[in-house]
Amino acid sequence: MEHQHDTAKYTCPMHPQIMQDKPGNCPICGMTLVLANTSAKHDNDMHHHHGANPAMGHEGHDHGKMIEDFRKRFYVVLVLTVPIMLLSTMIQHFMGVNWQFTGSQYILFALSTVVFLYGGWPFLKGMVDEAKAKNPGMMFLIGFAIIVAYIYSVAIVFGLQGMDFFWELATLILIMLLGHWIEMKSVAGASKELELLVQLMPADAHMVMPDMVHDVKTDTLKANDIILVKPGEKVAADGVILEGESYLNESMLTGESKPVQKSKGDKVIAGAINGNGSIKVTVTHAAKDSYLSQVVKLVDDAQKSKSKTQLLADRAARWLTIIALISGIATFLYWYLTGQPLAFAMERMVTVIVICCPHALGLAVPLVVAKSTALSAKNGLLIKNRTAFENSRKITTIVFDKTGTLTVGKFEVSKIVSVKPEFTENEIIKLSAALEQNSEHPIATGILQKAKDLSIAIPAITEFNAITGKGVEATVDTKKIMVVSPGYLKEKNLTIPADFAANEIETVVFLIVNNELAGYIALSDEIRPESAGAIETLKQNNIKSILLTGDNNKVAKAVSEKLGMDSFIAEVLPHQKLEKIKDLQSKGEFVAMTGDGVNDAPALAQANVGIAVGSGSDIAAETAGIILVNSNPKDIVNLVLFGKATYRKMIQNLIWATGYNVVALPLAAGVLYKQGILLSPAAGAVLMTVSTIVVAINASMLAVKK
């Protein structure tokens, strides 16, 4: 979880994790970045914040401080606004009273000055920061509006003919403070899922020493340390169970609700909640390199990255700022030059500028981004590339890997056949297991499990070599041993035995000893119960499903037909997968490819959307834009549907934010003045705030459908 912020100068007041060396807007909430007054200490704090207990980290503290600051300013201004309104000439006229007395104007001036300086300070400071950054936005507009209102009203107090609008200044600042307070809470809520993810890591761990168990800080753990995880506690680091067994709840990381049984030799991930058994775990990664930390880093990076939709929204917000300033000045000139009092023209200008603040537009996409990326991570969908995720709505064809995705991926030996009398079934298993003992491939796991069941001692090997996409070879007791696919036999023109028989869903590997076929092993893999439903949902959404596998035609056809898939492509070597993806794209298909991120890397890179599946232990599949923690096909469907839902939310927010301005701006300018409809600056502030809150609420309603 390292952040490269050595030269950072700008940060977001609401999201201190955002550190950039250039001015601009916060990619999460849209607020203008301010000059950072922190140094390397900030980096260290952030580092610990992710590695230790973030519940006590300063991110939440800063969030809370900012929200508390706006709350306090709001209440102070609220108290001062009451006497300001009572002393205001216009309000007194409206109420039919006359409470003027000697010096009342100066008291009004003094109270309003406190409101302007204290209540308006966040907006005035924001205005200066945006001006320095040459990037005028919301704060610039609000700051400009309250300065104009204040200077004009002060001029009235000290001799200019007209009517002040101190009361409008006070109510405007009051409503803007309230709006920002509510909005900040909404924004904080939109990204709280990321904070919850961060908080999954416990602060302390029980480290097992030779003579005692000692509590240490989680971020001090390193590889090969041994930790004790008691019942009900969170696992402090990624590792392998050394001793004990238990059920672990990994739902907060994988989206799988059922606890998973774990015993000696099984992998565990940091943040998982231990069930009712104590386990000792050998740590495999330091805290900062843990799976959870990588998840948080991925989510954080995805939230900071901008997609095309967001860039469009940013451009629109910048243009709206320019339009607001031009419209405000034009409105002032129109009314003043057509004979309206100066106060009226000023009021119209202030209202136009306030109502056109691009805040809702600026937040329209970032709020959805913050919500969707963090929500995805909690459901086992890790977004590395925002554009890839956004493009998932365009998918017309999904190419599925078979083993471990559509099928359980747990192969069991169903048949052992010897073709030479000197090789018994046990001997075939023994030699095959010797070659597969260092592999994590599902077929290898099935063969090794059979050797274990038969209590067969596995011999050592030398000169091991993997034959890409075809099998493995090595030397066992001076014999050259190979375990290969049917495709290899065809390639080398080796004769397949006459009595060879495998059913439709069996996968067969052949054992070759000293270049002669010794026998074969058939393994079967069960189709996942969720696969059929996933394929059916894709059909309902007019998305084609294609099976792409290195397995034989028979198996591929049987699985494809059983699941009701559109087609299948079998006996494909890794390098051929790329060509198959290209073929589909040349036919106008928008292709998503699922794969394990290693053999499938070229195809994943070629696909319009690359999805690395089953990567719980290796989430750094570089070529995939999206990583699925589980290999469940239902998650792939959820991803597509969630991508569509996310895009809909973005568009809804953009339509609302722009549509609101199209309607509100003319009203603020006074186009219906003659019809008796006129918005005050305070009413403009209310509408602007409401539009922002609507956008925030709409983003918060985003959910992953299961």
Side-chain angles (χ1 to χ4, degrees):
M1 281 305 299
E2 290 176 351
H3 295 266
Q4 304 300 319
H5 296 149
D6 294 339
T7 59
K9 294 176 184 172
Y10 292 86
T11 186
C12 173
M14 289 185 60
H15 295 92
Q17 75 266 36
I18 304 297
M19 294 288 281
Q20 294 181 9
D21 56 2
K22 291 180 182 175
N25 291 353
C26 173
I28 298 177
C29 68
M31 284 189 75
T32 303
L33 299 180
V34 297
L35 280 167
N37 55 7
T38 53
S39 60
K41 179 181 180 297
H42 182 96
D43 288 339
N44 294 333
D45 285 350
M46 282 306 299
H47 187 80
H48 290 299
H49 154 73
H50 291 306
N53 188 351
M56 302 301 289
H58 75 262
E59 181 187 89
H61 175 66
D62 280 4
H63 259 207
K65 204 162 72 174
M66 287 293 296
I67 293 168
E68 180 60 26
D69 183 60
F70 270 91
R71 189 182 75 87
K72 191 167 74 177
R73 289 178 192 271
F74 166 75
Y75 281 120
V76 170
V77 172
L78 177 63
V79 170
L80 294 174
T81 299
V82 175
I84 288 171
M85 291 188 75
L86 293 175
L87 289 171
S88 218
T89 308
M90 187 179 284
I91 299 296
Q92 290 182 22
H93 279 206
F94 179 74
M95 293 170 68
V97 296
N98 183 8
W99 292 334
Q100 299 292 330
F101 55 88
T102 305
S104 62
Q105 283 295 91
Y106 296 107
I107 294 172
L108 182 61
F109 160 67
L111 292 171
S112 300
T113 300
V114 174
V115 167
F116 173 69
L117 293 173
Y118 180 73
W121 177 250
F123 310 112
L124 297 170
K125 187 176 180 298
M127 177 187 181
V128 172
D129 289 335
E130 287 185 351
K132 280 182 184 172
K134 297 177 183 173
N135 186 22
M138 182 201 62
M139 290 298 189
F140 187 90
L141 293 179
I142 296 171
F144 181 76
I146 63 175
I147 286 171
V148 168
Y150 178 74
I151 290 173
Y152 172 75
S153 299
V154 171
I156 298 294
V157 172
F158 291 98
L160 186 72
Q161 289 300 306
M163 189 177 288
D164 68 77
F165 42 92
F166 278 130
W167 76 272
E168 288 186 303
L169 170 71
T171 52
L172 173 59
I173 290 173
L174 183 73
I175 291 162
M176 292 309 304
L177 287 170
L178 176 64
H180 267 67
W181 175 23
I182 296 169
E183 180 201 304
M184 278 179 148
K185 289 174 80 172
S186 301
V187 172
S191 53
K192 72 174 180 251
E193 280 87 0
L194 175 58
E195 289 172 25
L196 290 173
L197 272 177
V198 176
Q199 289 171 23
L200 290 175
M201 190 76 85
D204 301 307
H206 312 302
M207 189 166 167
V208 180
M209 308 286 193
D211 54 346
M212 61 179 289
V213 175
H214 182 61
D215 284 359
V216 298
K217 292 292 177 191
T218 300
D219 55 359
T220 63
L221 293 175
K222 56 189 187 296
N224 298 319
D225 284 345
I226 297 170
I227 57 172
L228 173 68
V229 186
K230 297 174 183 178
E233 291 184 339
K234 292 173 183 173
V235 178
D238 292 357
V240 176
I241 294 180
L242 179 69
E243 194 180 297
E245 60 179 55
S246 187
Y247 281 88
L248 270 70
N249 183 348
E250 299 174 343
S251 61
M252 70 301 291
L253 294 164
T254 65
E256 290 286 327
S257 55
K258 282 194 318 191
V260 184
Q261 189 175 8
K262 303 275 186 176
S263 55
K264 186 177 177 179
D266 288 336
K267 291 178 182 176
V268 294
I269 50 179
I273 300 168
N274 188 21
N276 57 1
S278 286
I279 52 173
K280 284 183 183 177
V281 175
T282 304
V283 176
T284 53
H285 300 105
K288 66 181 178 67
D289 301 319
S290 71
Y291 169 69
L292 177 59
S293 291
Q294 290 184 62
V295 170
V296 174
K297 175 77 165 68
L298 278 175
V299 174
D300 204 28
D301 289 349
Q303 287 187 353
K304 291 177 195 175
S305 69
K306 294 196 176 188
S307 64
K308 288 177 182 175
T309 312
Q310 193 166 336
L311 290 168
L312 175 69
D314 289 349
R315 276 201 302 275
R318 276 195 291 276
W319 274 108
L320 186 59
T321 301
I322 295 164
I323 290 166
L325 283 168
I326 294 169
S327 301
I329 294 164
T331 300
F332 170 79
L333 292 171
Y334 172 79
W335 288 114
Y336 187 63
L337 296 173
T338 54
Q340 291 291 340
L342 180 62
F344 181 88
M346 295 281 277
E347 187 184 71
R348 289 304 90 217
M349 177 174 72
V350 169
T351 308
V352 166
I353 287 171
V354 168
I355 215 161
C356 283
C357 278
H359 211 198
L361 193 55
L363 286 174
V365 175
L367 279 178
V368 178
V369 168
K371 183 80 178 175
S372 65
T373 46
L375 207 54
S376 301
K378 286 179 73 179
N379 287 274
L381 316 174
L382 305 182
I383 300 165
K384 282 184 68 186
N385 183 311
R386 285 295 318 171
T387 302
F389 177 61
E390 218 171 272
N391 283 341
S392 62
R393 75 186 194 280
K394 301 178 188 175
I395 293 169
T396 59
T397 299
I398 295 184
V399 176
F400 285 94
D401 184 38
K402 177 179 74 72
T403 306
T405 304
L406 295 173
T407 62
V408 174
K410 192 175 178 182
F411 281 85
E412 291 182 356
V413 173
S414 53
K415 199 182 293 173
I416 308 165
V417 179
S418 171
V419 298
K420 285 191 176 289
E422 62 265 37
F423 292 101
T424 63
E425 289 184 7
N426 279 15
E427 187 73 9
I428 289 169
I429 286 288
K430 183 173 90 173
L431 293 171
S432 301
L435 266 68
E436 301 285 12
Q437 60 189 306
N438 296 319
S439 173
E440 290 184 4
H441 192 279
I443 289 175
T445 306
I447 293 171
L448 289 164
Q449 186 59 49
K450 187 68 177 177
K452 189 178 174 183
D453 294 344
L454 296 171
S455 302
I456 295 171
I458 301 171
I461 59 169
T462 56
E463 299 173 359
F464 177 84
N465 179 43
I467 313 163
T468 309
K470 296 167 191 171
V472 288
E473 61 183 355
T475 301
V476 180
D477 297 332
T478 70
K479 297 173 186 168
K480 187 186 174 187
I481 312 291
M482 300 175 81
V483 176
V484 294
S485 65
Y488 182 84
L489 264 67
K490 283 183 188 173
E491 194 178 291
K492 299 295 180 183
N493 294 317
L494 291 168
T495 308
I496 294 175
D499 61 345
F500 170 72
N503 67 38
E504 291 174 331
I505 59 166
E506 280 181 333
T507 296
V508 179
V509 292
F510 292 87
L511 177 70
I512 297 172
V513 181
N514 293 334
N515 297 318
E516 289 187 5
L517 184 64
Y520 59 88
I521 301 168
L523 301 100
S524 56
D525 184 13
E526 183 187 345
I527 293 173
R528 282 182 180 272
E530 308 94 344
S531 295
I535 301 298
E536 181 57 34
T537 306
L538 289 177
K539 278 192 171 172
Q540 291 166 4
N541 286 272
N542 298 315
I543 297 169
K544 296 178 195 146
S545 54
I546 296 174
L547 178 63
L548 185 67
T549 178
D551 224 326
N552 63 64
N553 266 294
K554 268 189 176 179
V555 173
K557 187 170 184 274
V559 172
S560 173
E561 286 179 354
K562 190 170 181 180
L563 294 175
M565 298 178 78
D566 292 280
S567 62
F568 67 91
I569 306 166
E571 297 181 19
V572 180
L573 294 172
H575 70 272
Q576 294 172 321
K577 290 183 178 180
L578 173 70
E579 299 305 319
K580 300 297 180 186
I581 300 294
K582 279 184 178 176
D583 287 349
L584 289 166
Q585 289 171 327
S586 67
K587 294 170 186 171
E589 300 290 343
F590 199 90
V591 182
M593 164 77 190
T594 68
D596 61 16
V598 183
N599 287 341
D600 301 317
L604 286 169
Q606 177 63 36
N608 301 97
V609 179
I611 305 168
V613 296
S615 303
S617 59
D618 179 22
I619 67 163
E622 292 297 325
T623 48
I626 298 161
I627 298 163
L628 301 189
V629 177
N630 301 306
S631 305
N632 191 333
K634 201 174 171 186
D635 285 349
I636 298 167
V637 177
N638 287 343
L639 167 74
V640 176
L641 299 179
F642 187 54
K644 286 184 175 184
T646 299
Y647 188 74
R648 276 199 304 274
K649 285 287 180 197
M650 286 180 182
I651 298 303
Q652 286 167 8
N653 276 0
L654 286 173
I655 290 171
W656 169 262
T658 50
Y660 147 80
N661 281 291
V662 168
V663 173
L665 194 150
L667 288 175
V671 293
L672 297 179
Y673 173 56
K674 290 180 179 174
Q675 285 74 35
I677 298 171
L678 201 63
L679 291 176
S680 68
V686 169
L687 285 175
M688 195 274 275
T689 299
V690 167
S691 76
T692 306
I693 291 168
V694 167
V695 163
I697 290 170
N698 190 43
S700 70
M701 290 168 70
L702 185 66
V704 179
K705 288 185 181 176
K706 293 200 172 184

